Amino acid sequence: MHRLLPPNVDAPLSTRLHDTLLTYAARQGHVAGVELLLQNGASADIIASGRTALMMAADQGHTQCLRLLCAAKAGLDLRDECRATAIVHAARAGHAE
């Protein structure tokens, strides 16, 4: 799988949501993908569609992805266009963990 990564792992994907590989993997809860991308230089704080990968994982309650992103020093204080942090995203979605 490592050989399939593009040279710029932070480049946007051609999706309706304008994801990057990392934001897509985090939103989908793909733990191995998040880990692989972070190990290969993906920015933990890249913003796609106005939100970070941490916010997307928090929205969906993907705790393993959240742990990986936090270990990669993802910004807990970053805010989306509504001024919400990842913690606010998790709380709004009913994810207490």
Side-chain angles (χ1 to χ4, degrees), residues 38-89:
L38 291 171
Q39 289 172 349
N40 284 278
S43 171
D45 290 330
I46 193 87
I47 296 174
S49 299
R51 299 185 305 164
T52 64
L54 190 68
M55 292 172 192
M56 293 181 182
D59 277 336
Q60 302 300 317
H62 298 309
T63 55
Q64 289 181 302
C65 291
L66 290 167
R67 286 186 184 104
L68 288 171
L69 291 161
C70 286
K73 308 286 191 242
L76 295 173
D77 59 341
L78 294 178
R79 297 176 182 271
D80 66 11
E81 63 276 354
C82 296
R83 309 284 301 143
T85 63
I87 294 169
V88 172
H89 280 269

Side-chain angles (χ1 to χ4, degrees), residues 11-12 20-21 23 25 31 34 54 64 81 89:
T20 65
L21 289 169
T23 58
V31 177
V34 169
L54 190 68
Q64 289 181 302
E81 63 276 354
H89 280 269

